[in-house]
Amino acid sequence: MKIRKIPQKFLATDIDGELILVHADTGVFFSAKDTGRAIWQAIDRSPAIEDIVQGLRNDYEVAPEECLRSVLAFTDQLVEAGLAEYC
């Protein structure tokens, strides 16, 4: 499974290590720190969920299943918010 951002749907900035996203259509703000921010950045390197999971496992000590659940929970939120889509 892969995920891709929908650039025309958001504005993004990094403020003091916190990712701030604003939905371009609704003006709703989202913020992400730590692993959420890391997942957002990892999508730019590779849209493949398994690559994102492996990259996080290289940086954090976490079981593969737990890491996959966390990545999917975050990416599901991005998709629900209209900021990204699975492809």
mmCIF file of all heavy atoms in Angstrom, residues 7-50:
data_model
loop_
_atom_site.group_PDB
_atom_site.id
_atom_site.type_symbol
_atom_site.label_atom_id
_atom_site.label_comp_id
_atom_site.label_asym_id
_atom_site.label_seq_id
_atom_site.Cartn_x
_atom_site.Cartn_y
_atom_site.Cartn_z
ATOM 1 N N PRO A 7 -0.975 17.995 -2.310
ATOM 2 C CA PRO A 7 -0.385 19.316 -2.037
ATOM 3 C C PRO A 7 -1.350 20.493 -2.160
ATOM 4 O O PRO A 7 -1.232 21.466 -1.413
ATOM 5 C CB PRO A 7 0.739 19.431 -3.062
ATOM 6 C CG PRO A 7 1.033 18.040 -3.477
ATOM 7 C CD PRO A 7 -0.242 17.278 -3.339
ATOM 8 N N GLN A 8 -2.302 20.423 -3.064
ATOM 9 C CA GLN A 8 -3.231 21.535 -3.225
ATOM 10 C C GLN A 8 -4.238 21.634 -2.087
ATOM 11 O O GLN A 8 -4.981 22.604 -1.997
ATOM 12 C CB GLN A 8 -3.951 21.465 -4.588
ATOM 13 C CG GLN A 8 -4.855 20.282 -4.766
ATOM 14 C CD GLN A 8 -4.173 19.027 -5.299
ATOM 15 O OE1 GLN A 8 -2.970 18.851 -5.178
ATOM 16 N NE2 GLN A 8 -4.956 18.132 -5.882
ATOM 17 N N LYS A 9 -4.233 20.655 -1.183
ATOM 18 C CA LYS A 9 -5.195 20.640 -0.077
ATOM 19 C C LYS A 9 -4.631 21.154 1.245
ATOM 20 O O LYS A 9 -5.347 21.214 2.239
ATOM 21 C CB LYS A 9 -5.731 19.221 0.138
ATOM 22 C CG LYS A 9 -6.602 18.727 -0.979
ATOM 23 C CD LYS A 9 -7.882 19.514 -1.028
ATOM 24 C CE LYS A 9 -8.819 18.957 -2.082
ATOM 25 N NZ LYS A 9 -10.054 19.713 -2.147
ATOM 26 N N PHE A 10 -3.352 21.499 1.299
ATOM 27 C CA PHE A 10 -2.793 21.926 2.585
ATOM 28 C C PHE A 10 -1.671 22.940 2.429
ATOM 29 O O PHE A 10 -1.051 23.044 1.383
ATOM 30 C CB PHE A 10 -2.272 20.726 3.390
ATOM 31 C CG PHE A 10 -1.099 20.030 2.743
ATOM 32 C CD1 PHE A 10 0.198 20.489 2.938
ATOM 33 C CD2 PHE A 10 -1.297 18.933 1.932
ATOM 34 C CE1 PHE A 10 1.272 19.852 2.338
ATOM 35 C CE2 PHE A 10 -0.226 18.293 1.322
ATOM 36 C CZ PHE A 10 1.060 18.754 1.533
ATOM 37 N N LEU A 11 -1.465 23.664 3.494
ATOM 38 C CA LEU A 11 -0.278 24.487 3.692
ATOM 39 C C LEU A 11 0.429 23.875 4.884
ATOM 40 O O LEU A 11 -0.218 23.498 5.867
ATOM 41 C CB LEU A 11 -0.661 25.930 3.985
ATOM 42 C CG LEU A 11 -1.506 26.631 2.930
ATOM 43 C CD1 LEU A 11 -2.020 27.955 3.461
ATOM 44 C CD2 LEU A 11 -0.699 26.842 1.667
ATOM 45 N N ALA A 12 1.740 23.769 4.817
ATOM 46 C CA ALA A 12 2.492 23.145 5.900
ATOM 47 C C ALA A 12 3.675 24.006 6.283
ATOM 48 O O ALA A 12 4.304 24.639 5.439
ATOM 49 C CB ALA A 12 2.975 21.761 5.476
ATOM 50 N N THR A 13 3.960 24.023 7.583
ATOM 51 C CA THR A 13 5.155 24.702 8.074
ATOM 52 C C THR A 13 5.644 23.971 9.313
ATOM 53 O O THR A 13 4.889 23.251 9.970
ATOM 54 C CB THR A 13 4.866 26.191 8.376
ATOM 55 O OG1 THR A 13 6.102 26.856 8.630
ATOM 56 C CG2 THR A 13 3.937 26.355 9.566
ATOM 57 N N ASP A 14 6.901 24.170 9.614
ATOM 58 C CA ASP A 14 7.514 23.565 10.791
ATOM 59 C C ASP A 14 7.853 24.695 11.762
ATOM 60 O O ASP A 14 8.582 25.618 11.400
ATOM 61 C CB ASP A 14 8.777 22.810 10.379
ATOM 62 C CG ASP A 14 9.343 21.948 11.478
ATOM 63 O OD1 ASP A 14 8.576 21.504 12.357
ATOM 64 O OD2 ASP A 14 10.560 21.717 11.476
ATOM 65 N N ILE A 15 7.292 24.627 12.950
ATOM 66 C CA ILE A 15 7.545 25.651 13.968
ATOM 67 C C ILE A 15 8.099 24.962 15.209
ATOM 68 O O ILE A 15 7.408 24.166 15.854
ATOM 69 C CB ILE A 15 6.258 26.425 14.323
ATOM 70 C CG1 ILE A 15 5.710 27.131 13.083
ATOM 71 C CG2 ILE A 15 6.526 27.417 15.446
ATOM 72 C CD1 ILE A 15 4.384 27.810 13.284
ATOM 73 N N ASP A 16 9.360 25.241 15.508
ATOM 74 C CA ASP A 16 10.019 24.673 16.690
ATOM 75 C C ASP A 16 9.855 23.164 16.787
ATOM 76 O O ASP A 16 9.536 22.620 17.846
ATOM 77 C CB ASP A 16 9.488 25.339 17.961
ATOM 78 C CG ASP A 16 9.836 26.808 18.045
ATOM 79 O OD1 ASP A 16 10.917 27.188 17.539
ATOM 80 O OD2 ASP A 16 9.041 27.576 18.601
ATOM 81 N N GLY A 17 10.048 22.459 15.663
ATOM 82 C CA GLY A 17 9.973 21.002 15.667
ATOM 83 C C GLY A 17 8.571 20.434 15.620
ATOM 84 O O GLY A 17 8.391 19.227 15.722
ATOM 85 N N GLU A 18 7.584 21.287 15.450
ATOM 86 C CA GLU A 18 6.200 20.835 15.343
ATOM 87 C C GLU A 18 5.691 21.130 13.941
ATOM 88 O O GLU A 18 5.844 22.237 13.433
ATOM 89 C CB GLU A 18 5.320 21.548 16.370
ATOM 90 C CG GLU A 18 3.889 21.086 16.366
ATOM 91 C CD GLU A 18 3.074 21.722 17.483
ATOM 92 O OE1 GLU A 18 3.595 22.594 18.202
ATOM 93 O OE2 GLU A 18 1.917 21.345 17.633
ATOM 94 N N LEU A 19 5.115 20.127 13.317
ATOM 95 C CA LEU A 19 4.546 20.286 11.992
ATOM 96 C C LEU A 19 3.145 20.881 12.137
ATOM 97 O O LEU A 19 2.311 20.354 12.878
ATOM 98 C CB LEU A 19 4.454 18.928 11.296
ATOM 99 C CG LEU A 19 3.689 18.886 9.986
ATOM 100 C CD1 LEU A 19 4.425 19.673 8.903
ATOM 101 C CD2 LEU A 19 3.465 17.454 9.547
ATOM 102 N N ILE A 20 2.900 21.973 11.445
ATOM 103 C CA ILE A 20 1.581 22.602 11.444
ATOM 104 C C ILE A 20 1.031 22.494 10.024
ATOM 105 O O ILE A 20 1.682 22.907 9.062
ATOM 106 C CB ILE A 20 1.646 24.096 11.853
ATOM 107 C CG1 ILE A 20 2.343 24.266 13.198
ATOM 108 C CG2 ILE A 20 0.253 24.711 11.834
ATOM 109 C CD1 ILE A 20 1.630 23.648 14.370
ATOM 110 N N LEU A 21 -0.154 21.914 9.903
ATOM 111 C CA LEU A 21 -0.833 21.767 8.622
ATOM 112 C C LEU A 21 -2.142 22.537 8.679
ATOM 113 O O LEU A 21 -2.856 22.481 9.683
ATOM 114 C CB LEU A 21 -1.147 20.297 8.342
ATOM 115 C CG LEU A 21 0.034 19.354 8.207
ATOM 116 C CD1 LEU A 21 -0.411 17.914 8.319
ATOM 117 C CD2 LEU A 21 0.705 19.586 6.873
ATOM 118 N N VAL A 22 -2.455 23.227 7.617
ATOM 119 C CA VAL A 22 -3.730 23.934 7.508
ATOM 120 C C VAL A 22 -4.411 23.426 6.248
ATOM 121 O O VAL A 22 -3.830 23.470 5.155
ATOM 122 C CB VAL A 22 -3.530 25.465 7.405
ATOM 123 C CG1 VAL A 22 -4.876 26.171 7.306
ATOM 124 C CG2 VAL A 22 -2.725 25.983 8.582
ATOM 125 N N HIS A 23 -5.640 22.924 6.413
ATOM 126 C CA HIS A 23 -6.404 22.457 5.255
ATOM 127 C C HIS A 23 -6.781 23.666 4.416
ATOM 128 O O HIS A 23 -7.371 24.622 4.918
ATOM 129 C CB HIS A 23 -7.642 21.685 5.712
ATOM 130 C CG HIS A 23 -8.279 20.912 4.614
ATOM 131 N ND1 HIS A 23 -9.003 21.502 3.614
ATOM 132 C CD2 HIS A 23 -8.274 19.584 4.355
ATOM 133 C CE1 HIS A 23 -9.433 20.573 2.785
ATOM 134 N NE2 HIS A 23 -9.003 19.394 3.215
ATOM 135 N N ALA A 24 -6.430 23.648 3.154
ATOM 136 C CA ALA A 24 -6.619 24.804 2.275
ATOM 137 C C ALA A 24 -8.086 25.158 2.055
ATOM 138 O O ALA A 24 -8.420 26.323 1.865
ATOM 139 C CB ALA A 24 -5.945 24.549 0.931
ATOM 140 N N ASP A 25 -8.974 24.179 2.102
ATOM 141 C CA ASP A 25 -10.395 24.433 1.852
ATOM 142 C C ASP A 25 -11.162 24.833 3.104
ATOM 143 O O ASP A 25 -12.065 25.657 3.045
ATOM 144 C CB ASP A 25 -11.067 23.205 1.240
ATOM 145 C CG ASP A 25 -10.523 22.863 -0.137
ATOM 146 O OD1 ASP A 25 -9.989 23.768 -0.814
ATOM 147 O OD2 ASP A 25 -10.612 21.686 -0.527
ATOM 148 N N THR A 26 -10.805 24.242 4.235
ATOM 149 C CA THR A 26 -11.594 24.443 5.458
ATOM 150 C C THR A 26 -10.930 25.359 6.474
ATOM 151 O O THR A 26 -11.598 25.867 7.364
ATOM 152 C CB THR A 26 -11.871 23.096 6.145
ATOM 153 O OG1 THR A 26 -10.627 22.531 6.583
ATOM 154 C CG2 THR A 26 -12.599 22.132 5.222
ATOM 155 N N GLY A 27 -9.607 25.519 6.374
ATOM 156 C CA GLY A 27 -8.894 26.323 7.350
ATOM 157 C C GLY A 27 -8.632 25.601 8.660
ATOM 158 O O GLY A 27 -8.092 26.180 9.601
ATOM 159 N N VAL A 28 -8.979 24.328 8.726
ATOM 160 C CA VAL A 28 -8.766 23.540 9.941
ATOM 161 C C VAL A 28 -7.271 23.297 10.114
ATOM 162 O O VAL A 28 -6.568 22.954 9.166
ATOM 163 C CB VAL A 28 -9.540 22.205 9.875
ATOM 164 C CG1 VAL A 28 -9.209 21.310 11.056
ATOM 165 C CG2 VAL A 28 -11.039 22.467 9.810
ATOM 166 N N PHE A 29 -6.786 23.492 11.350
ATOM 167 C CA PHE A 29 -5.380 23.296 11.689
ATOM 168 C C PHE A 29 -5.156 21.893 12.222
ATOM 169 O O PHE A 29 -5.980 21.358 12.952
ATOM 170 C CB PHE A 29 -4.958 24.273 12.794
ATOM 171 C CG PHE A 29 -4.736 25.666 12.320
ATOM 172 C CD1 PHE A 29 -5.810 26.523 12.124
ATOM 173 C CD2 PHE A 29 -3.458 26.134 12.094
ATOM 174 C CE1 PHE A 29 -5.623 27.820 11.702
ATOM 175 C CE2 PHE A 29 -3.252 27.436 11.660
ATOM 176 C CZ PHE A 29 -4.341 28.283 11.465
ATOM 177 N N PHE A 30 -4.011 21.334 11.883
ATOM 178 C CA PHE A 30 -3.562 20.055 12.413
ATOM 179 C C PHE A 30 -2.120 20.252 12.855
ATOM 180 O O PHE A 30 -1.394 21.047 12.264
ATOM 181 C CB PHE A 30 -3.600 18.967 11.331
ATOM 182 C CG PHE A 30 -4.947 18.765 10.710
ATOM 183 C CD1 PHE A 30 -5.328 19.494 9.601
ATOM 184 C CD2 PHE A 30 -5.836 17.859 11.241
ATOM 185 C CE1 PHE A 30 -6.574 19.328 9.018
ATOM 186 C CE2 PHE A 30 -7.085 17.674 10.670
ATOM 187 C CZ PHE A 30 -7.456 18.410 9.554
ATOM 188 N N SER A 31 -1.711 19.535 13.878
ATOM 189 C CA SER A 31 -0.311 19.596 14.287
ATOM 190 C C SER A 31 0.199 18.190 14.560
ATOM 191 O O SER A 31 -0.567 17.299 14.919
ATOM 192 C CB SER A 31 -0.140 20.474 15.529
ATOM 193 O OG SER A 31 -0.709 19.865 16.648
ATOM 194 N N ALA A 32 1.481 18.008 14.344
ATOM 195 C CA ALA A 32 2.113 16.714 14.583
ATOM 196 C C ALA A 32 3.522 16.950 15.094
ATOM 197 O O ALA A 32 4.227 17.830 14.608
ATOM 198 C CB ALA A 32 2.139 15.889 13.302
ATOM 199 N N LYS A 33 3.888 16.162 16.069
ATOM 200 C CA LYS A 33 5.237 16.199 16.622
ATOM 201 C C LYS A 33 5.808 14.794 16.561
ATOM 202 O O LYS A 33 5.096 13.828 16.303
ATOM 203 C CB LYS A 33 5.194 16.676 18.073
ATOM 204 C CG LYS A 33 4.762 18.111 18.252
ATOM 205 C CD LYS A 33 4.557 18.442 19.698
ATOM 206 C CE LYS A 33 5.824 19.012 20.294
ATOM 207 N NZ LYS A 33 5.638 19.458 21.670
ATOM 208 N N ASP A 34 7.061 14.703 16.804
ATOM 209 C CA ASP A 34 7.755 13.428 16.961
ATOM 210 C C ASP A 34 7.440 12.445 15.823
ATOM 211 O O ASP A 34 7.759 12.709 14.691
ATOM 212 C CB ASP A 34 7.466 12.824 18.338
ATOM 213 C CG ASP A 34 7.816 13.787 19.467
ATOM 214 O OD1 ASP A 34 8.845 14.481 19.351
ATOM 215 O OD2 ASP A 34 7.051 13.864 20.451
ATOM 216 N N THR A 35 6.796 11.312 16.151
ATOM 217 C CA THR A 35 6.595 10.290 15.119
ATOM 218 C C THR A 35 5.616 10.738 14.034
ATOM 219 O O THR A 35 5.792 10.374 12.883
ATOM 220 C CB THR A 35 6.137 8.950 15.726
ATOM 221 O OG1 THR A 35 4.983 9.165 16.537
ATOM 222 C CG2 THR A 35 7.223 8.311 16.542
ATOM 223 N N GLY A 36 4.605 11.513 14.381
ATOM 224 C CA GLY A 36 3.688 12.024 13.360
ATOM 225 C C GLY A 36 4.425 12.871 12.351
ATOM 226 O O GLY A 36 4.244 12.739 11.137
ATOM 227 N N ARG A 37 5.276 13.729 12.845
ATOM 228 C CA ARG A 37 6.103 14.580 11.974
ATOM 229 C C ARG A 37 7.054 13.715 11.145
ATOM 230 O O ARG A 37 7.263 13.951 9.959
ATOM 231 C CB ARG A 37 6.873 15.574 12.830
ATOM 232 C CG ARG A 37 7.700 16.563 12.069
ATOM 233 C CD ARG A 37 8.266 17.607 13.057
ATOM 234 N NE ARG A 37 9.267 18.413 12.412
ATOM 235 C CZ ARG A 37 10.572 18.194 12.479
ATOM 236 N NH1 ARG A 37 11.050 17.205 13.202
ATOM 237 N NH2 ARG A 37 11.407 18.990 11.856
ATOM 238 N N ALA A 38 7.620 12.692 11.773
ATOM 239 C CA ALA A 38 8.542 11.790 11.065
ATOM 240 C C ALA A 38 7.820 11.031 9.946
ATOM 241 O O ALA A 38 8.372 10.858 8.853
ATOM 242 C CB ALA A 38 9.176 10.808 12.052
ATOM 243 N N ILE A 39 6.591 10.600 10.201
ATOM 244 C CA ILE A 39 5.816 9.901 9.166
ATOM 245 C C ILE A 39 5.522 10.851 8.014
ATOM 246 O O ILE A 39 5.689 10.498 6.848
ATOM 247 C CB ILE A 39 4.516 9.320 9.753
ATOM 248 C CG1 ILE A 39 4.835 8.206 10.753
ATOM 249 C CG2 ILE A 39 3.603 8.802 8.632
ATOM 250 C CD1 ILE A 39 3.652 7.770 11.607
ATOM 251 N N TRP A 40 5.093 12.075 8.319
ATOM 252 C CA TRP A 40 4.800 13.072 7.288
ATOM 253 C C TRP A 40 6.030 13.287 6.388
ATOM 254 O O TRP A 40 5.919 13.310 5.167
ATOM 255 C CB TRP A 40 4.369 14.371 7.955
ATOM 256 C CG TRP A 40 4.061 15.472 6.994
ATOM 257 C CD1 TRP A 40 4.888 16.512 6.637
ATOM 258 C CD2 TRP A 40 2.858 15.658 6.244
ATOM 259 N NE1 TRP A 40 4.269 17.331 5.727
ATOM 260 C CE2 TRP A 40 3.013 16.824 5.470
ATOM 261 C CE3 TRP A 40 1.660 14.957 6.168
ATOM 262 C CZ2 TRP A 40 2.024 17.303 4.624
ATOM 263 C CZ3 TRP A 40 0.666 15.434 5.326
ATOM 264 C CH2 TRP A 40 0.857 16.589 4.570
ATOM 265 N N GLN A 41 7.194 13.425 6.993
ATOM 266 C CA GLN A 41 8.420 13.641 6.223
ATOM 267 C C GLN A 41 8.805 12.384 5.438
ATOM 268 O O GLN A 41 9.304 12.475 4.321
ATOM 269 C CB GLN A 41 9.552 14.067 7.143
ATOM 270 C CG GLN A 41 9.327 15.438 7.747
ATOM 271 C CD GLN A 41 10.334 15.790 8.827
ATOM 272 O OE1 GLN A 41 10.900 14.912 9.474
ATOM 273 N NE2 GLN A 41 10.543 17.080 9.021
ATOM 274 N N ALA A 42 8.555 11.212 6.012
ATOM 275 C CA ALA A 42 8.906 9.952 5.351
ATOM 276 C C ALA A 42 8.089 9.732 4.081
ATOM 277 O O ALA A 42 8.577 9.113 3.133
ATOM 278 C CB ALA A 42 8.710 8.782 6.309
ATOM 279 N N ILE A 43 6.878 10.251 4.044
ATOM 280 C CA ILE A 43 6.045 10.106 2.847
ATOM 281 C C ILE A 43 6.742 10.733 1.645
ATOM 282 O O ILE A 43 6.629 10.227 0.522
ATOM 283 C CB ILE A 43 4.650 10.729 3.067
ATOM 284 C CG1 ILE A 43 3.873 9.941 4.134
ATOM 285 C CG2 ILE A 43 3.859 10.793 1.767
ATOM 286 C CD1 ILE A 43 2.589 10.624 4.603
ATOM 287 N N ASP A 44 7.492 11.804 1.861
ATOM 288 C CA ASP A 44 8.222 12.451 0.768
ATOM 289 C C ASP A 44 9.367 11.583 0.249
ATOM 290 O O ASP A 44 9.712 11.644 -0.928
ATOM 291 C CB ASP A 44 8.782 13.802 1.215
ATOM 292 C CG ASP A 44 7.696 14.834 1.438
ATOM 293 O OD1 ASP A 44 6.634 14.757 0.776
ATOM 294 O OD2 ASP A 44 7.901 15.724 2.278
ATOM 295 N N ARG A 45 9.949 10.789 1.123
ATOM 296 C CA ARG A 45 11.067 9.928 0.713
ATOM 297 C C ARG A 45 10.580 8.686 -0.022
ATOM 298 O O ARG A 45 11.209 8.230 -0.971
ATOM 299 C CB ARG A 45 11.913 9.546 1.922
ATOM 300 C CG ARG A 45 12.698 10.710 2.486
ATOM 301 C CD ARG A 45 13.675 10.287 3.547
ATOM 302 N NE ARG A 45 13.063 9.736 4.750
ATOM 303 C CZ ARG A 45 12.579 10.457 5.753
ATOM 304 N NH1 ARG A 45 12.623 11.775 5.698
ATOM 305 N NH2 ARG A 45 12.060 9.879 6.811
ATOM 306 N N SER A 46 9.474 8.115 0.455
ATOM 307 C CA SER A 46 8.892 6.932 -0.175
ATOM 308 C C SER A 46 7.431 6.855 0.219
ATOM 309 O O SER A 46 7.110 6.894 1.414
ATOM 310 C CB SER A 46 9.605 5.658 0.272
ATOM 311 O OG SER A 46 8.900 4.523 -0.218
ATOM 312 N N PRO A 47 6.549 6.709 -0.748
ATOM 313 C CA PRO A 47 5.128 6.611 -0.427
ATOM 314 C C PRO A 47 4.705 5.221 0.064
ATOM 315 O O PRO A 47 3.586 5.047 0.524
ATOM 316 C CB PRO A 47 4.449 6.951 -1.754
ATOM 317 C CG PRO A 47 5.424 6.490 -2.785
ATOM 318 C CD PRO A 47 6.785 6.750 -2.180
ATOM 319 N N ALA A 48 5.596 4.245 -0.006
ATOM 320 C CA ALA A 48 5.258 2.880 0.395
ATOM 321 C C ALA A 48 5.203 2.773 1.921
ATOM 322 O O ALA A 48 6.164 3.108 2.612
ATOM 323 C CB ALA A 48 6.277 1.893 -0.165
ATOM 324 N N ILE A 49 4.066 2.309 2.422
ATOM 325 C CA ILE A 49 3.875 2.174 3.872
ATOM 326 C C ILE A 49 4.975 1.315 4.485
ATOM 327 O O ILE A 49 5.514 1.642 5.543
ATOM 328 C CB ILE A 49 2.476 1.607 4.199
ATOM 329 C CG1 ILE A 49 1.371 2.563 3.721
ATOM 330 C CG2 ILE A 49 2.335 1.280 5.680
ATOM 331 C CD1 ILE A 49 1.306 3.901 4.419
ATOM 332 N N GLU A 50 5.351 0.221 3.821
ATOM 333 C CA GLU A 50 6.383 -0.664 4.385
ATOM 334 C C GLU A 50 7.728 0.054 4.488
ATOM 335 O O GLU A 50 8.488 -0.198 5.430
ATOM 336 C CB GLU A 50 6.508 -1.976 3.608
ATOM 337 C CG GLU A 50 6.825 -1.813 2.148
ATOM 338 C CD GLU A 50 5.598 -1.735 1.236
ATOM 339 O OE1 GLU A 50 4.465 -1.574 1.709
ATOM 340 O OE2 GLU A 50 5.793 -1.805 0.019
#
